[in-house]
Amino acid sequence: MERKVKILGTGKYLPDRQVTAEELESKLGLPAGWVVKKSGVQVRHFVTNETSAQMGAIAAQRALDEAGLVFSDIDCLVCASGTSQQEIPCTAALIQEEMNQSKSGVPCFDINSTCLSFVTALDVLSCSLAMECYQRILIVSSEISSVGLNWGHKESCVLFGDGAAAVVISRTPQNETSRILASRMQTFSDGAHYSEIRGGGTLIHPSEYANGREADFQFDMDGRKIFRLTSQLITGFVEELLDTASVKKQDIGLVVPHQASGMAMRIMGNKLGFANSQMMNIIENHGNVIAASIPMALHEAIVQEKVRRGDLLLLLGTSAGLSLGGLLLEY
Amino acid sequence: MERKVKILGTGKYLPDRQVTAEELESKLGLPAGWVVKKSGVQVRHFVTNETSAQMGAIAAQRALDEAGLVFSDIDCLVCASGTSQQEIPCTAALIQEEMNQSKSGVPCFDINSTCLSFVTALDVLSCSLAMECYQRILIVSSEISSVGLNWGHKESCVLFGDGAAAVVISRTPQNETSRILASRMQTFSDGAHYSEIRGGGTLIHPSEYANGREADFQFDMDGRKIFRLTSQLITGFVEELLDTASVKKQDIGLVVPHQASGMAMRIMGNKLGFANSQMMNIIENHGNVIAASIPMALHEAIVQEKVRRGDLLLLLGTSAGLSLGGLLLEY
């Protein structure tokens, strides 16, 4: 299960336009303080003209810069997002195009497990690195949530933001200790319809939009049901993940959770027995950026020097599906 | 690069409704013989009420049956399709639900490189098997092309069909020789817009459908440009793949190509110097089933006994992106 993989660099991109809690309260006719109390989000960013591929390309270039690499050092580009830019082709190919690398031949594909897409991609591709199929892989999560929010559903529409994050990984040099110790994912489709956008795929084609089905093309969630199912599962899930690697909670330097909501992270931390200081939290000024949340929080943890080489990190989250995912790594 | 992975079972599902070349010629006002001449497709299947997840679930169950396994033998379920059923969650979770395994916890996620999704998934997940992250993986490709065709674009709308195919893989038992010898993928986003559905994602939201943008939500392709770019690249691409494994063309028992079109496969075979008898061809009664084409052709090759244990197979195709992908395996 252990894979000797190293994170070489990380980068992020946020759109210029900031949307404050106050702006949303005014727009939605909510009392002052409601948005931060419910979501934990003071400021999120929304795209104006940026595309997913443009945001992803900038984050990717920044991750390369941080790693001291150039695009030609990379031999695989994976987009790990819950949303896609177009129905066809995959977003990774569009990111390659935005990076002006359209003749490079670097293979491009997408991996999608909604909010856990980055964790899934890191898990799966660490095996491809270990088997020497690739030398250095760029994983990019780029999300535009703002186009698909239901502004009539106040509980969910105040949570989300747009943005991108990217990570470059390679096999670990011989004399270093960076590695993935263990990973685990579980999907319980009992919760497949607890959070969804029903339309836009082959089930409800966009041609149905005008036929009174607008809501099918907007994000819909039942926060209470998600909370109930997740609460039943999360403790056992994390214990088994840590047991696999013979790691104790107190050994973990930092938990990098999916930034689902301020309250969700607080409850998760308490339930799992992690101190607040052990939980990386960027929700206040980013919001929930779907799959970009975990790599963006990881990037911020590195920039803010909350994590150093040799520290144990636990990437942890839930996603539509309903899935739980965790990955234990030595940075 | 070599991975000791074995295909344990395969399955397919086709919708009941058959759409003949004659039916399309009548619908589109085309002369008799035009459709087969241009596409090579005599009969394709279109869904009536089936969903992607339902088709995928049936194909998956058949693959399990063929392997002599039950769902609880599987510890990962990947949907490898170019289309998705919903925008959220991933289709794999919806297939798990359709298989009545919603409490199983088996991890579900999607991999997408359009028509090459199955080859990409098989490539990547063979590494996860080799690294012992999973024991047995179900890969399902399920495609509904019929909802997104542009009936005004005769060249493309006569090519496609709906359907699903599934494959179960595991590590190869010690005394057996099944393995992946080599794999290769290249993406040239110079061709990113040669075949696309521009709408449905974050770039052109379904709310735009009614604003005169119907065509953005339908499949659009420039067959001539795809042909030109592919022709330049395919020979060198395959030669390098075979060289990696020190395999010669005449050693390959069967090429299982993406069933892009009758003409595309004929030209590809000639250009690469494969005999017609070496090229698996199911386009006449299936059409181009996007990512399900390759696993469906593989399934048919096994059922029709065109491939036996120990034979060398070359899975080979192109996809939107524009990507080329190939995987050399000993069945």
Side-chain angles (χ1 to χ4, degrees):
Chain A
M1 280 280 283
E2 181 172 294
R3 286 145 273 168
K4 300 213 170 298
V5 164
K6 183 182 182 184
I7 292 170
L8 302 177
T10 63
K12 80 164 182 175
Y13 174 83
L14 290 176
D16 283 337
R17 185 171 168 230
Q18 301 191 14
V19 179
T20 63
E22 293 73 22
E23 183 180 337
L24 289 185
E25 284 158 1
S26 164
K27 172 188 169 116
L28 300 168
L30 294 166
W34 193 95
V35 166
V36 170
K37 191 178 161 205
K38 290 285 179 181
S39 67
V41 188
Q42 175 56 48
V43 185
R44 80 231 61 208
H45 297 246
F46 280 176
V47 294
T48 43
N49 292 311
E50 299 96 333
T51 66
S52 301
Q54 285 166 352
M55 296 198 301
I58 296 172
Q61 187 57 54
R62 288 175 181 169
L64 286 175
D65 291 346
E66 194 58 39
L69 298 172
V70 294
F71 190 91
S72 58
D73 294 317
I74 298 303
D75 52 5
C76 184
L77 197 175
V78 176
C79 182
S81 303
T83 59
S84 60
Q85 178 159 322
Q86 301 192 171
E87 186 67 16
I88 293 174
C90 63
T91 309
L94 300 172
I95 292 172
Q96 190 206 63
E97 183 185 26
E98 284 294 337
M99 294 182 84
N100 297 314
Q101 299 293 336
S102 61
K103 293 180 199 304
S104 65
V106 168
C108 293
F109 55 90
D110 291 359
I111 290 183
N112 174 15
S113 56
T114 326
C115 295
L116 284 168
S117 303
F118 175 78
V119 177
T120 301
L122 180 57
D123 181 30
V124 168
L125 294 167
S126 66
C127 296
S128 298
L129 283 176
M131 294 303 292
E132 306 197 8
C133 288
Y134 298 112
Q135 303 300 315
R136 282 179 216 90
I137 302 176
L138 196 45
I139 305 176
V140 187
S141 299
S142 186
E143 304 279 19
I144 297 178
S145 58
S146 56
V147 295
L149 298 176
N150 182 341
W151 293 103
H153 191 264
K154 296 179 175 55
E155 183 198 1
S156 65
C157 69
V158 300
L159 290 173
F160 292 92
D162 302 338
V167 168
V168 192
I169 57 174
S170 73
R171 284 186 295 283
T172 307
Q174 281 251 297
N175 54 342
E176 299 182 18
T177 55
S178 298
R179 66 208 155 108
I180 292 175
L181 287 78
S183 58
R184 188 171 189 223
M185 185 182 184
Q186 285 197 298
T187 301
F188 298 90
S189 53
D190 265 352
H193 304 283
Y194 292 177
S195 58
E196 57 183 342
I197 296 180
R198 285 175 292 280
T202 56
L203 185 68
I204 307 173
H205 188 261
S207 59
E208 294 289 319
Y209 185 86
N211 302 333
R213 302 197 70 162
E214 292 84 349
D216 283 328
F217 296 87
Q218 296 164 341
F219 183 67
D220 183 27
M221 78 172 202
D222 186 330
R224 204 163 303 186
K225 284 187 179 168
I226 295 171
F227 174 73
R228 204 179 306 147
L229 184 55
T230 307
S231 295
Q232 286 166 19
L233 298 167
I234 191 80
T235 308
F237 177 85
V238 171
E239 276 171 7
E240 195 165 321
L241 173 61
L242 298 188
D243 284 353
T244 308
S246 304
V247 163
K248 293 195 169 52
K249 274 176 198 163
Q250 57 267 32
D251 301 332
I252 294 171
L254 197 66
V255 181
V256 181
H258 172 49
Q259 311 285 304
S261 78
M263 202 192 298
M265 284 190 287
R266 213 160 40 239
I267 293 170
M268 188 200 267
N270 290 340
K271 205 169 170 67
L272 294 173
F274 289 114
N276 263 347
S277 60
Q278 266 180 298
M279 300 280 288
M280 187 66 199
N281 190 329
I282 63 164
I283 192 138
E284 188 186 2
N285 54 349
H286 295 76
N288 175 339
V289 197
I290 318 179
S293 283
I294 288 179
M296 203 176 277
L298 174 64
H299 170 79
E300 283 299 314
I302 294 165
V303 169
Q304 296 174 25
E305 298 187 336
K306 291 191 173 179
V307 52
R308 286 161 211 275
R309 293 291 174 191
D311 288 355
L312 283 189
L313 293 180
L314 173 61
L315 313 187
L316 181 64
T318 60
S319 74
L322 186 150
S323 298
L324 296 91
L327 189 147
L328 193 62
L329 66 89
E330 178 179 336
Y331 178 67
Chain B
M1 279 279 281
E2 180 172 294
R3 287 145 271 165
K4 301 212 170 298
V5 165
K6 182 182 182 183
I7 293 171
L8 302 178
T10 62
K12 81 163 181 178
Y13 173 84
L14 290 176
D16 282 338
R17 188 176 165 224
Q18 300 192 15
V19 179
T20 62
E22 292 73 22
E23 183 180 336
L24 289 185
E25 284 158 1
S26 165
K27 172 187 167 117
L28 300 168
L30 294 166
W34 193 94
V35 167
V36 170
K37 191 178 161 205
K38 289 286 180 179
S39 67
V41 188
Q42 175 55 48
V43 186
R44 79 232 59 211
H45 297 246
F46 279 177
V47 293
T48 44
N49 292 311
E50 299 97 334
T51 66
S52 301
Q54 286 165 352
M55 295 197 301
I58 296 171
Q61 187 57 54
R62 289 175 180 169
L64 287 175
D65 292 346
E66 194 57 40
L69 297 172
V70 293
F71 190 91
S72 59
D73 294 317
I74 298 303
D75 53 3
C76 184
L77 196 174
V78 175
C79 182
S81 304
T83 59
S84 60
Q85 178 159 321
Q86 302 192 172
E87 185 69 16
I88 291 175
C90 64
T91 309
L94 300 172
I95 292 172
Q96 190 205 64
E97 184 186 26
E98 285 293 338
M99 295 183 83
N100 295 314
Q101 299 294 338
S102 62
K103 293 179 200 303
S104 65
V106 167
C108 293
F109 55 90
D110 292 358
I111 291 182
N112 174 15
S113 57
T114 325
C115 294
L116 284 168
S117 301
F118 175 79
V119 177
T120 301
L122 179 58
D123 181 29
V124 168
L125 294 168
S126 66
C127 296
S128 297
L129 282 176
M131 294 303 291
E132 306 196 8
C133 287
Y134 297 112
Q135 302 301 315
R136 280 177 217 94
I137 302 177
L138 195 45
I139 306 176
V140 187
S141 299
S142 186
E143 304 279 19
I144 298 179
S145 58
S146 54
V147 295
L149 298 176
N150 183 341
W151 294 104
H153 191 265
K154 295 179 177 52
E155 184 198 0
S156 65
C157 69
V158 299
L159 290 173
F160 292 91
D162 302 338
V167 169
V168 192
I169 56 173
S170 73
R171 285 187 295 284
T172 308
Q174 282 249 298
N175 53 342
E176 300 182 17
T177 55
S178 297
R179 67 209 155 108
I180 292 174
L181 287 78
S183 58
R184 189 171 189 223
M185 184 183 183
Q186 286 197 299
T187 302
F188 298 90
S189 54
D190 264 352
H193 304 283
Y194 292 177
S195 59
E196 58 181 343
I197 296 181
R198 286 175 291 281
T202 56
L203 185 68
I204 306 173
H205 187 261
S207 58
E208 294 289 319
Y209 185 86
N211 301 333
R213 303 197 71 163
E214 291 84 351
D216 283 328
F217 296 87
Q218 296 164 340
F219 184 67
D220 184 27
M221 77 172 202
D222 186 329
R224 203 163 304 188
K225 284 188 179 168
I226 294 170
F227 174 73
R228 203 179 307 146
L229 185 53
T230 307
S231 295
Q232 285 168 21
L233 298 166
I234 192 78
T235 308
F237 178 84
V238 170
E239 276 171 7
E240 195 164 322
L241 173 61
L242 298 187
D243 284 353
T244 309
S246 304
V247 163
K248 294 194 170 54
K249 274 176 199 165
Q250 58 267 33
D251 302 332
I252 294 173
L254 197 67
V255 181
V256 182
H258 172 48
Q259 308 287 305
S261 79
M263 201 193 298
M265 285 189 287
R266 211 159 43 238
I267 293 170
M268 188 199 265
N270 290 341
K271 208 172 166 68
L272 294 172
F274 289 113
N276 264 348
S277 60
Q278 268 181 298
M279 300 281 288
M280 187 66 200
N281 191 329
I282 63 164
I283 193 137
E284 188 186 2
N285 53 350
H286 295 76
N288 176 338
V289 197
I290 317 179
S293 282
I294 287 179
M296 203 176 279
L298 173 63
H299 170 79
E300 284 298 314
I302 294 166
V303 167
Q304 296 173 25
E305 298 187 335
K306 291 192 173 179
V307 52
R308 287 161 210 274
R309 292 292 173 190
D311 287 356
L312 282 190
L313 293 180
L314 174 61
L315 313 187
L316 180 65
T318 60
S319 74
L322 187 149
S323 297
L324 297 90
L327 190 146
L328 193 62
L329 65 89
E330 178 180 335
Y331 177 67

